[in-house]
Amino acid sequence: MDSLLITTAEEKNQILKLYNIGEAEIKEDVNLIKAWIVKQPHLPQNLSDDCIEKVLLRNKCRVERTKQKLDNYYSLRGHNRDLIRDFENVVPSEHVSTYLPMPKLTPKLERILIMKILKPEAELYDIMEVIKINLATTELLFKYDDSVGVRYLYDFQGFTLRHMARMNPVPIIKQISMIEKGYSCRMLGVDLVNFPSFASKIMALLKMLLRPKIYERVKIHPNLESVYEVMPKDCLPSEYGGTYSTIPKLTKMWDKAIRDHRQFFVDNFNNISLEHLRPLEVPDGDAFGVQGTFKNLTID
């Protein structure tokens, strides 16, 4: 995955500096979260230190928020089993659309993620299959990505009203909720290119699907020069005038990444919250609303 999700040592240091935290503090916080997980009988006990650290960084190094997001990860996957089934059989290059993270981070430490139709025939457009590749990719981002968040480049070339008519908003809303609340993905921007003539209908759909805060981050770009203001050419594939590989080559690399994680996906399908074992909330107690372990306060 190192060649697909690149974060240099300097970029990692920049992220730590952004959140005003050092390696020693990160390790301390990871240990606090691990101690909390042990006390949660409803949660699986198999998250690696590295994965916990990545989730912690995505949540701006807020320990209690990270605990809640980890709980969400397991509970939302448990409540949406239909959306996470058969990830091991996903082959990105054969799908009707792409959900493609770019390997190189932007100068703002964002991960660009390209969404576009690969096969224009509307009758092939199955929203549940689109969601499957989106979430399978997000599962690996959750496990491996070091970035401050995702900036989406949504290319509408080839997208028609016939495609739009096949978009069921219910599973899409569930997917977005999982990506944000479960996979701890920070949506830092939604940049739209090749916008069709029925723009008002798409914007109305986006307004229904996205939280107001995220909808405010939607921007329609009239041309690629406008895109380059937020996404440098060296972070984009050649299809957008960039210098970083091509969409087909990168998609083939994701074919291999998912194939290499086949057993992980099979095993991870059952890593969900066991709600019947969830501890009862402690009334008038825990100030954070999540039972756990907290840092000691030292007073000189």
Side-chain angles (χ1 to χ4, degrees), residues 14-16 18-19 54-62 65-66 69 99 105-106 108-113 138 141-142 145-153 175-191 210-211 213-214 217:
Q14 289 179 42
I15 293 172
L16 295 180
L18 178 66
Y19 298 134
K54 285 174 169 52
V55 178
L56 183 63
L57 289 171
R58 286 186 211 116
N59 287 284
K60 301 181 180 180
C61 298
R62 299 170 182 170
R65 183 180 178 88
T66 300
K69 287 296 184 69
Y99 194 83
L105 297 183
T106 71
K108 291 185 177 181
L109 308 172
E110 300 168 338
R111 181 76 60 194
I112 296 171
L113 200 153
T138 302
L141 289 173
F142 177 81
D145 188 31
D146 283 304
S147 70
V148 298
V150 171
R151 178 170 290 275
Y152 291 89
L153 179 61
Q175 171 202 223
I176 293 171
S177 179
M178 289 181 68
I179 288 173
E180 282 198 275
K181 298 177 183 178
Y183 290 103
S184 291
C185 176
R186 296 178 61 208
M187 298 182 179
L188 302 178
V190 182
D191 297 275
L210 301 175
R211 292 186 296 117
K213 180 179 180 180
I214 304 302
R217 297 174 183 171

Short mmCIF file of all heavy atoms in Angstrom, two decimals, residues 14-16 18-19 54-62 65-66 69 99 105-106 108-113 138 141-142 145-153 175-191 210-211 213-214 217:
data_model
loop_
_atom_site.label_atom_id
_atom_site.label_comp_id
_atom_site.label_asym_id
_atom_site.label_seq_id
_atom_site.Cartn_x
_atom_site.Cartn_y
_atom_site.Cartn_z
N GLN A 14 4.64 17.19 9.60
CA GLN A 14 3.79 18.37 9.43
C GLN A 14 2.41 18.14 10.05
O GLN A 14 1.83 19.05 10.64
CB GLN A 14 3.64 18.70 7.94
CG GLN A 14 4.89 19.26 7.29
CD GLN A 14 4.66 19.54 5.81
OE1 GLN A 14 3.63 20.07 5.40
NE2 GLN A 14 5.62 19.17 4.98
N ILE A 15 1.89 16.93 9.90
CA ILE A 15 0.58 16.61 10.48
C ILE A 15 0.65 16.67 12.01
O ILE A 15 -0.23 17.24 12.66
CB ILE A 15 0.11 15.22 10.01
CG1 ILE A 15 -0.18 15.25 8.50
CG2 ILE A 15 -1.15 14.79 10.77
CD1 ILE A 15 -0.48 13.89 7.91
N LEU A 16 1.71 16.12 12.59
CA LEU A 16 1.88 16.18 14.04
C LEU A 16 2.01 17.63 14.51
O LEU A 16 1.43 18.01 15.54
CB LEU A 16 3.12 15.37 14.46
CG LEU A 16 3.07 13.86 14.22
CD1 LEU A 16 4.36 13.21 14.68
CD2 LEU A 16 1.88 13.23 14.92
N LEU A 18 0.78 20.22 13.01
CA LEU A 18 -0.52 20.86 12.82
C LEU A 18 -1.39 20.67 14.06
O LEU A 18 -2.13 21.57 14.46
CB LEU A 18 -1.20 20.26 11.58
CG LEU A 18 -2.61 20.77 11.25
CD1 LEU A 18 -2.57 22.24 10.85
CD2 LEU A 18 -3.21 19.93 10.13
N TYR A 19 -1.30 19.47 14.65
CA TYR A 19 -2.13 19.17 15.82
C TYR A 19 -1.38 19.38 17.14
O TYR A 19 -1.89 19.02 18.20
CB TYR A 19 -2.65 17.73 15.73
CG TYR A 19 -3.53 17.51 14.52
CD1 TYR A 19 -3.38 16.39 13.71
CD2 TYR A 19 -4.52 18.43 14.18
CE1 TYR A 19 -4.19 16.19 12.60
CE2 TYR A 19 -5.33 18.24 13.08
CZ TYR A 19 -5.16 17.12 12.29
OH TYR A 19 -5.96 16.93 11.19
N LYS A 54 -3.78 6.30 13.35
CA LYS A 54 -4.30 6.98 12.17
C LYS A 54 -5.69 7.57 12.44
O LYS A 54 -6.01 8.68 12.02
CB LYS A 54 -4.33 6.02 10.98
CG LYS A 54 -2.96 5.75 10.38
CD LYS A 54 -3.01 4.69 9.30
CE LYS A 54 -1.71 4.63 8.52
NZ LYS A 54 -0.51 4.49 9.33
N VAL A 55 -6.54 6.81 13.14
CA VAL A 55 -7.87 7.31 13.47
C VAL A 55 -7.76 8.49 14.43
O VAL A 55 -8.49 9.48 14.32
CB VAL A 55 -8.74 6.19 14.07
CG1 VAL A 55 -10.12 6.73 14.45
CG2 VAL A 55 -8.89 5.05 13.07
N LEU A 56 -6.83 8.40 15.36
CA LEU A 56 -6.59 9.50 16.31
C LEU A 56 -6.20 10.78 15.58
O LEU A 56 -6.73 11.86 15.86
CB LEU A 56 -5.50 9.09 17.29
CG LEU A 56 -5.14 10.05 18.42
CD1 LEU A 56 -6.32 10.26 19.36
CD2 LEU A 56 -3.94 9.52 19.20
N LEU A 57 -5.32 10.66 14.60
CA LEU A 57 -4.89 11.84 13.84
C LEU A 57 -6.04 12.40 13.00
O LEU A 57 -6.18 13.61 12.87
CB LEU A 57 -3.71 11.48 12.94
CG LEU A 57 -2.37 11.23 13.65
CD1 LEU A 57 -1.34 10.68 12.68
CD2 LEU A 57 -1.86 12.51 14.29
N ARG A 58 -6.87 11.52 12.44
CA ARG A 58 -8.02 12.00 11.65
C ARG A 58 -9.02 12.75 12.52
O ARG A 58 -9.80 13.54 12.02
CB ARG A 58 -8.72 10.83 10.96
CG ARG A 58 -7.95 10.29 9.78
CD ARG A 58 -8.74 9.23 9.03
NE ARG A 58 -7.82 8.29 8.44
CZ ARG A 58 -7.73 7.01 8.76
NH1 ARG A 58 -8.56 6.50 9.65
NH2 ARG A 58 -6.83 6.22 8.20
N ASN A 59 -9.00 12.46 13.81
CA ASN A 59 -9.89 13.14 14.74
C ASN A 59 -9.16 14.22 15.55
O ASN A 59 -9.53 14.53 16.68
CB ASN A 59 -10.56 12.11 15.66
CG ASN A 59 -11.62 11.31 14.93
OD1 ASN A 59 -12.72 11.80 14.68
ND2 ASN A 59 -11.29 10.08 14.57
N LYS A 60 -8.11 14.76 14.93
CA LYS A 60 -7.35 15.89 15.48
C LYS A 60 -6.80 15.60 16.87
O LYS A 60 -6.73 16.49 17.72
CB LYS A 60 -8.22 17.15 15.50
CG LYS A 60 -8.75 17.57 14.13
CD LYS A 60 -9.59 18.82 14.21
CE LYS A 60 -10.12 19.22 12.84
NZ LYS A 60 -10.95 20.45 12.90
N CYS A 61 -6.44 14.33 17.09
CA CYS A 61 -5.81 13.89 18.33
C CYS A 61 -6.70 14.09 19.55
O CYS A 61 -6.21 14.28 20.67
CB CYS A 61 -4.46 14.60 18.52
SG CYS A 61 -3.29 14.21 17.20
N ARG A 62 -8.00 14.03 19.35
CA ARG A 62 -8.95 14.11 20.46
C ARG A 62 -9.30 12.68 20.88
O ARG A 62 -9.96 11.95 20.15
CB ARG A 62 -10.21 14.85 20.02
CG ARG A 62 -9.93 16.30 19.59
CD ARG A 62 -11.15 16.91 18.96
NE ARG A 62 -10.91 18.26 18.49
CZ ARG A 62 -11.74 18.96 17.73
NH1 ARG A 62 -12.88 18.40 17.34
NH2 ARG A 62 -11.44 20.19 17.36
N ARG A 65 -13.13 11.74 21.26
CA ARG A 65 -13.77 11.71 19.94
C ARG A 65 -13.33 10.46 19.18
O ARG A 65 -14.13 9.82 18.48
CB ARG A 65 -13.40 12.97 19.16
CG ARG A 65 -14.07 13.07 17.80
CD ARG A 65 -13.65 14.35 17.11
NE ARG A 65 -14.21 14.47 15.79
CZ ARG A 65 -15.39 15.00 15.50
NH1 ARG A 65 -16.14 15.46 16.48
NH2 ARG A 65 -15.82 15.08 14.26
N THR A 66 -12.06 10.09 19.32
CA THR A 66 -11.55 8.89 18.65
C THR A 66 -12.24 7.64 19.18
O THR A 66 -12.59 6.74 18.40
CB THR A 66 -10.03 8.79 18.84
OG1 THR A 66 -9.40 9.97 18.29
CG2 THR A 66 -9.47 7.55 18.14
N LYS A 69 -15.59 7.44 17.56
CA LYS A 69 -15.51 7.07 16.15
C LYS A 69 -15.18 5.59 15.98
O LYS A 69 -15.70 4.93 15.07
CB LYS A 69 -14.46 7.94 15.44
CG LYS A 69 -14.89 9.38 15.22
CD LYS A 69 -16.09 9.47 14.29
CE LYS A 69 -16.48 10.91 13.98
NZ LYS A 69 -15.49 11.60 13.14
N TYR A 99 -13.50 5.04 -7.68
CA TYR A 99 -13.38 5.74 -6.40
C TYR A 99 -11.90 5.66 -6.07
O TYR A 99 -11.46 4.75 -5.37
CB TYR A 99 -14.24 5.05 -5.35
CG TYR A 99 -14.48 5.82 -4.07
CD1 TYR A 99 -15.49 6.78 -3.99
CD2 TYR A 99 -13.73 5.56 -2.92
CE1 TYR A 99 -15.75 7.46 -2.80
CE2 TYR A 99 -13.98 6.23 -1.74
CZ TYR A 99 -14.99 7.17 -1.68
OH TYR A 99 -15.23 7.84 -0.49
N LEU A 105 -0.04 13.31 -1.57
CA LEU A 105 -0.80 14.32 -0.84
C LEU A 105 -0.60 15.70 -1.45
O LEU A 105 0.45 16.00 -2.02
CB LEU A 105 -0.37 14.35 0.63
CG LEU A 105 -0.60 13.11 1.48
CD1 LEU A 105 -0.18 13.38 2.93
CD2 LEU A 105 -2.05 12.66 1.43
N THR A 106 -1.60 16.55 -1.30
CA THR A 106 -1.47 17.94 -1.71
C THR A 106 -0.59 18.69 -0.71
O THR A 106 -0.30 18.17 0.38
CB THR A 106 -2.84 18.64 -1.77
OG1 THR A 106 -3.32 18.82 -0.43
CG2 THR A 106 -3.84 17.81 -2.56
N LYS A 108 -1.45 20.83 1.23
CA LYS A 108 -2.24 20.98 2.45
C LYS A 108 -2.46 19.64 3.15
O LYS A 108 -3.27 19.55 4.07
CB LYS A 108 -3.59 21.64 2.13
CG LYS A 108 -3.46 23.09 1.70
CD LYS A 108 -4.85 23.72 1.51
CE LYS A 108 -4.73 25.20 1.16
NZ LYS A 108 -6.06 25.84 1.00
N LEU A 109 -1.73 18.61 2.69
CA LEU A 109 -1.76 17.27 3.31
C LEU A 109 -3.11 16.58 3.12
O LEU A 109 -3.51 15.74 3.93
CB LEU A 109 -1.40 17.36 4.79
CG LEU A 109 -0.11 18.11 5.11
CD1 LEU A 109 0.05 18.30 6.62
CD2 LEU A 109 1.10 17.36 4.54
N GLU A 110 -3.81 16.93 2.04
CA GLU A 110 -5.09 16.31 1.72
C GLU A 110 -4.89 15.16 0.74
O GLU A 110 -3.97 15.19 -0.08
CB GLU A 110 -6.03 17.35 1.08
CG GLU A 110 -6.33 18.55 1.95
CD GLU A 110 -6.99 19.67 1.18
OE1 GLU A 110 -6.85 19.72 -0.07
OE2 GLU A 110 -7.65 20.51 1.81
N ARG A 111 -5.76 14.17 0.83
CA ARG A 111 -5.76 13.05 -0.13
C ARG A 111 -6.83 13.35 -1.18
O ARG A 111 -8.02 13.47 -0.86
CB ARG A 111 -6.09 11.74 0.58
CG ARG A 111 -6.11 10.51 -0.31
CD ARG A 111 -4.72 10.03 -0.67
NE ARG A 111 -3.96 9.67 0.53
CZ ARG A 111 -2.63 9.48 0.53
NH1 ARG A 111 -1.94 9.65 -0.58
NH2 ARG A 111 -2.01 9.14 1.65
N ILE A 112 -6.44 13.49 -2.44
CA ILE A 112 -7.40 13.67 -3.52
C ILE A 112 -8.03 12.33 -3.85
O ILE A 112 -7.35 11.30 -3.92
CB ILE A 112 -6.71 14.25 -4.77
CG1 ILE A 112 -6.17 15.65 -4.49
CG2 ILE A 112 -7.69 14.28 -5.96
CD1 ILE A 112 -5.29 16.20 -5.61
N LEU A 113 -9.35 12.33 -4.04
CA LEU A 113 -10.06 11.10 -4.38
C LEU A 113 -10.95 11.38 -5.59
O LEU A 113 -11.81 12.26 -5.54
CB LEU A 113 -10.88 10.61 -3.19
CG LEU A 113 -11.29 9.14 -3.22
CD1 LEU A 113 -11.48 8.61 -1.80
CD2 LEU A 113 -12.55 8.93 -4.02
N THR A 138 -12.58 2.69 0.98
CA THR A 138 -12.54 3.44 2.24
C THR A 138 -12.04 2.57 3.38
O THR A 138 -11.37 3.06 4.30
CB THR A 138 -13.94 4.01 2.56
OG1 THR A 138 -14.37 4.84 1.47
CG2 THR A 138 -13.91 4.84 3.83
N LEU A 141 -8.42 2.80 3.21
CA LEU A 141 -8.00 4.13 3.66
C LEU A 141 -8.02 4.21 5.18
O LEU A 141 -7.12 4.78 5.81
CB LEU A 141 -8.91 5.21 3.06
CG LEU A 141 -8.77 5.48 1.56
CD1 LEU A 141 -9.88 6.45 1.11
CD2 LEU A 141 -7.41 6.05 1.23
N PHE A 142 -9.06 3.66 5.78
CA PHE A 142 -9.18 3.64 7.24
C PHE A 142 -7.97 2.94 7.86
O PHE A 142 -7.44 3.38 8.88
CB PHE A 142 -10.46 2.90 7.61
CG PHE A 142 -10.69 2.73 9.09
CD1 PHE A 142 -11.22 3.76 9.85
CD2 PHE A 142 -10.39 1.52 9.72
CE1 PHE A 142 -11.45 3.60 11.22
CE2 PHE A 142 -10.61 1.36 11.08
CZ PHE A 142 -11.14 2.40 11.83
N ASP A 145 -4.29 5.06 5.58
CA ASP A 145 -4.04 6.43 5.11
C ASP A 145 -3.57 7.38 6.21
O ASP A 145 -4.16 7.44 7.29
CB ASP A 145 -5.31 7.01 4.46
CG ASP A 145 -5.04 8.34 3.79
OD1 ASP A 145 -3.92 8.55 3.30
OD2 ASP A 145 -5.96 9.18 3.76
N ASP A 146 -2.51 8.11 5.90
CA ASP A 146 -2.06 9.23 6.72
C ASP A 146 -2.33 10.50 5.94
O ASP A 146 -1.61 10.83 4.99
CB ASP A 146 -0.55 9.13 7.01
CG ASP A 146 -0.22 8.11 8.08
OD1 ASP A 146 -0.76 8.22 9.19
OD2 ASP A 146 0.58 7.20 7.80
N SER A 147 -3.36 11.22 6.28
CA SER A 147 -3.67 12.50 5.65
C SER A 147 -4.58 13.26 6.61
O SER A 147 -5.12 12.67 7.56
CB SER A 147 -4.38 12.32 4.30
OG SER A 147 -5.69 11.81 4.47
N VAL A 148 -4.75 14.55 6.37
CA VAL A 148 -5.65 15.31 7.25
C VAL A 148 -7.10 15.17 6.81
O VAL A 148 -8.02 15.57 7.54
CB VAL A 148 -5.25 16.80 7.30
CG1 VAL A 148 -3.86 16.96 7.88
CG2 VAL A 148 -5.35 17.45 5.92
N GLY A 149 -7.32 14.61 5.62
CA GLY A 149 -8.68 14.45 5.12
C GLY A 149 -8.70 14.25 3.62
O GLY A 149 -7.65 14.20 2.97
N VAL A 150 -9.89 14.16 3.07
CA VAL A 150 -10.07 13.86 1.65
C VAL A 150 -10.69 15.05 0.92
O VAL A 150 -11.61 15.69 1.41
CB VAL A 150 -10.97 12.62 1.46
CG1 VAL A 150 -11.34 12.41 0.00
CG2 VAL A 150 -10.27 11.38 2.01
N ARG A 151 -10.14 15.32 -0.26
CA ARG A 151 -10.74 16.30 -1.18
C ARG A 151 -11.21 15.54 -2.41
O ARG A 151 -10.41 14.93 -3.12
CB ARG A 151 -9.73 17.39 -1.57
CG ARG A 151 -10.29 18.41 -2.56
CD ARG A 151 -9.36 19.59 -2.74
NE ARG A 151 -9.33 20.41 -1.53
CZ ARG A 151 -10.22 21.37 -1.24
NH1 ARG A 151 -11.23 21.60 -2.08
NH2 ARG A 151 -10.12 22.07 -0.15
N TYR A 152 -12.52 15.55 -2.63
CA TYR A 152 -13.12 14.78 -3.72
C TYR A 152 -13.10 15.57 -5.03
O TYR A 152 -13.47 16.75 -5.06
CB TYR A 152 -14.56 14.43 -3.38
CG TYR A 152 -14.71 13.42 -2.27
CD1 TYR A 152 -14.79 13.82 -0.94
CD2 TYR A 152 -14.75 12.05 -2.54
CE1 TYR A 152 -14.91 12.89 0.09
CE2 TYR A 152 -14.89 11.12 -1.53
CZ TYR A 152 -14.96 11.54 -0.21
OH TYR A 152 -15.07 10.63 0.80
N LEU A 153 -12.68 14.90 -6.09
CA LEU A 153 -12.81 15.43 -7.43
C LEU A 153 -13.86 14.58 -8.14
O LEU A 153 -13.62 13.43 -8.49
CB LEU A 153 -11.48 15.38 -8.19
CG LEU A 153 -11.51 15.90 -9.63
CD1 LEU A 153 -11.92 17.36 -9.67
CD2 LEU A 153 -10.16 15.70 -10.30
N GLN A 175 -24.21 5.31 3.26
CA GLN A 175 -22.80 5.25 2.89
C GLN A 175 -22.05 6.48 3.40
O GLN A 175 -20.98 6.36 4.01
CB GLN A 175 -22.65 5.17 1.38
CG GLN A 175 -21.21 5.32 0.90
CD GLN A 175 -21.11 5.76 -0.54
OE1 GLN A 175 -20.30 5.24 -1.29
NE2 GLN A 175 -21.92 6.71 -0.94
N ILE A 176 -22.61 7.65 3.18
CA ILE A 176 -21.95 8.88 3.61
C ILE A 176 -21.81 8.92 5.12
O ILE A 176 -20.77 9.33 5.66
CB ILE A 176 -22.72 10.11 3.09
CG1 ILE A 176 -22.63 10.18 1.56
CG2 ILE A 176 -22.17 11.41 3.71
CD1 ILE A 176 -23.52 11.23 0.93
N SER A 177 -22.83 8.46 5.82
CA SER A 177 -22.77 8.41 7.28
C SER A 177 -21.65 7.48 7.73
O SER A 177 -20.90 7.80 8.67
CB SER A 177 -24.11 7.93 7.84
OG SER A 177 -24.06 7.84 9.25
N MET A 178 -21.52 6.33 7.09
CA MET A 178 -20.46 5.39 7.43
C MET A 178 -19.09 6.00 7.17
O MET A 178 -18.17 5.88 7.99
CB MET A 178 -20.62 4.09 6.65
CG MET A 178 -21.79 3.24 7.10
SD MET A 178 -21.91 1.69 6.16
CE MET A 178 -20.43 0.82 6.72
N ILE A 179 -18.94 6.67 6.02
CA ILE A 179 -17.64 7.24 5.66
C ILE A 179 -17.23 8.31 6.67
O ILE A 179 -16.07 8.34 7.12
CB ILE A 179 -17.70 7.81 4.23
CG1 ILE A 179 -17.74 6.66 3.21
CG2 ILE A 179 -16.50 8.72 3.96
CD1 ILE A 179 -17.95 7.10 1.78
N GLU A 180 -18.16 9.18 7.04
CA GLU A 180 -17.84 10.26 7.96
C GLU A 180 -17.75 9.80 9.41
O GLU A 180 -16.76 10.05 10.11
CB GLU A 180 -18.88 11.37 7.86
CG GLU A 180 -18.75 12.28 6.67
CD GLU A 180 -19.52 13.56 6.87
OE1 GLU A 180 -20.75 13.57 6.58
OE2 GLU A 180 -18.94 14.55 7.31
N LYS A 181 -18.80 9.13 9.88
CA LYS A 181 -18.91 8.83 11.30
C LYS A 181 -18.22 7.53 11.70
O LYS A 181 -17.81 7.38 12.85
CB LYS A 181 -20.39 8.76 11.70
CG LYS A 181 -21.14 10.07 11.51
CD LYS A 181 -22.61 9.91 11.85
CE LYS A 181 -23.39 11.20 11.60
NZ LYS A 181 -24.83 11.03 11.89
N GLY A 182 -18.11 6.59 10.76
CA GLY A 182 -17.50 5.32 11.08
C GLY A 182 -16.05 5.22 10.66
O GLY A 182 -15.18 4.81 11.43
N TYR A 183 -15.77 5.64 9.41
CA TYR A 183 -14.41 5.55 8.90
C TYR A 183 -13.58 6.80 9.18
O TYR A 183 -12.45 6.92 8.71
CB TYR A 183 -14.44 5.25 7.40
CG TYR A 183 -14.92 3.86 7.07
CD1 TYR A 183 -16.21 3.64 6.59
CD2 TYR A 183 -14.09 2.75 7.24
CE1 TYR A 183 -16.66 2.37 6.26
CE2 TYR A 183 -14.53 1.47 6.93
CZ TYR A 183 -15.81 1.29 6.45
OH TYR A 183 -16.24 0.01 6.14
N SER A 184 -14.15 7.75 9.91
CA SER A 184 -13.43 8.96 10.32
C SER A 184 -12.85 9.73 9.15
O SER A 184 -11.74 10.27 9.23
CB SER A 184 -12.32 8.61 11.32
OG SER A 184 -12.83 8.18 12.55
N CYS A 185 -13.58 9.77 8.05
CA CYS A 185 -13.11 10.50 6.88
C CYS A 185 -13.56 11.96 6.95
O CYS A 185 -14.76 12.24 7.05
CB CYS A 185 -13.64 9.86 5.60
SG CYS A 185 -13.21 10.76 4.11
N ARG A 186 -12.61 12.87 6.95
CA ARG A 186 -12.93 14.30 6.93
C ARG A 186 -13.07 14.76 5.47
O ARG A 186 -12.11 14.71 4.71
CB ARG A 186 -11.85 15.10 7.63
CG ARG A 186 -11.72 14.79 9.12
CD ARG A 186 -10.59 15.59 9.75
NE ARG A 186 -10.85 17.02 9.63
CZ ARG A 186 -9.89 17.94 9.57
NH1 ARG A 186 -8.61 17.58 9.56
NH2 ARG A 186 -10.21 19.22 9.47
N MET A 187 -14.27 15.17 5.09
CA MET A 187 -14.52 15.64 3.73
C MET A 187 -14.16 17.13 3.66
O MET A 187 -14.94 17.99 4.07
CB MET A 187 -15.98 15.42 3.36
CG MET A 187 -16.39 13.96 3.36
SD MET A 187 -18.13 13.76 2.85
CE MET A 187 -18.30 11.97 2.91
N LEU A 188 -12.98 17.42 3.13
CA LEU A 188 -12.47 18.79 3.14
C LEU A 188 -12.91 19.60 1.93
O LEU A 188 -12.81 20.83 1.95
CB LEU A 188 -10.94 18.76 3.23
CG LEU A 188 -10.39 18.03 4.47
CD1 LEU A 188 -8.88 18.00 4.43
CD2 LEU A 188 -10.89 18.67 5.75
N GLY A 189 -13.38 18.94 0.91
CA GLY A 189 -13.84 19.64 -0.28
C GLY A 189 -14.50 18.68 -1.25
O GLY A 189 -14.13 17.50 -1.30
N VAL A 190 -15.49 19.18 -1.99
CA VAL A 190 -16.14 18.40 -3.03
C VAL A 190 -16.09 19.24 -4.29
O VAL A 190 -16.86 20.20 -4.46
CB VAL A 190 -17.61 18.04 -2.67
CG1 VAL A 190 -18.22 17.18 -3.77
CG2 VAL A 190 -17.68 17.33 -1.32
N ASP A 191 -15.16 18.93 -5.18
CA ASP A 191 -14.89 19.74 -6.36
C ASP A 191 -15.46 19.05 -7.60
O ASP A 191 -15.11 17.91 -7.90
CB ASP A 191 -13.39 19.96 -6.50
CG ASP A 191 -12.82 20.73 -5.31
OD1 ASP A 191 -12.87 21.97 -5.35
OD2 ASP A 191 -12.35 20.10 -4.36
N LEU A 210 -25.85 15.65 1.66
CA LEU A 210 -24.72 16.12 2.46
C LEU A 210 -25.17 16.98 3.64
O LEU A 210 -26.16 17.69 3.55
CB LEU A 210 -23.75 16.93 1.59
CG LEU A 210 -23.14 16.21 0.40
CD1 LEU A 210 -22.31 17.19 -0.43
CD2 LEU A 210 -22.27 15.03 0.83
N ARG A 211 -24.41 16.90 4.71
CA ARG A 211 -24.63 17.82 5.83
C ARG A 211 -24.39 19.25 5.35
O ARG A 211 -23.55 19.48 4.46
CB ARG A 211 -23.68 17.50 6.98
CG ARG A 211 -23.94 16.19 7.68
CD ARG A 211 -23.06 16.03 8.90
NE ARG A 211 -21.64 15.96 8.61
CZ ARG A 211 -20.74 16.84 9.03
NH1 ARG A 211 -21.11 17.91 9.73
NH2 ARG A 211 -19.46 16.69 8.74
N LYS A 213 -22.67 21.66 6.46
CA LYS A 213 -21.26 22.03 6.55
C LYS A 213 -20.48 21.51 5.35
O LYS A 213 -19.60 22.20 4.81
CB LYS A 213 -20.66 21.49 7.85
CG LYS A 213 -19.20 21.82 8.05
CD LYS A 213 -18.72 21.26 9.39
CE LYS A 213 -17.25 21.57 9.63
NZ LYS A 213 -16.78 21.03 10.93
N ILE A 214 -20.80 20.29 4.91
CA ILE A 214 -20.09 19.70 3.76
C ILE A 214 -20.63 20.30 2.46
O ILE A 214 -19.87 20.56 1.52
CB ILE A 214 -20.25 18.17 3.75
CG1 ILE A 214 -19.76 17.57 5.07
CG2 ILE A 214 -19.48 17.57 2.58
CD1 ILE A 214 -18.33 17.89 5.41
N ARG A 217 -18.94 23.20 1.13
CA ARG A 217 -17.62 22.97 0.56
C ARG A 217 -17.68 22.48 -0.88
O ARG A 217 -16.66 22.18 -1.48
CB ARG A 217 -16.86 21.95 1.43
CG ARG A 217 -16.61 22.44 2.85
CD ARG A 217 -16.00 21.36 3.72
NE ARG A 217 -15.83 21.84 5.10
CZ ARG A 217 -15.47 21.08 6.13
NH1 ARG A 217 -15.25 19.79 5.94
NH2 ARG A 217 -15.35 21.60 7.33
#
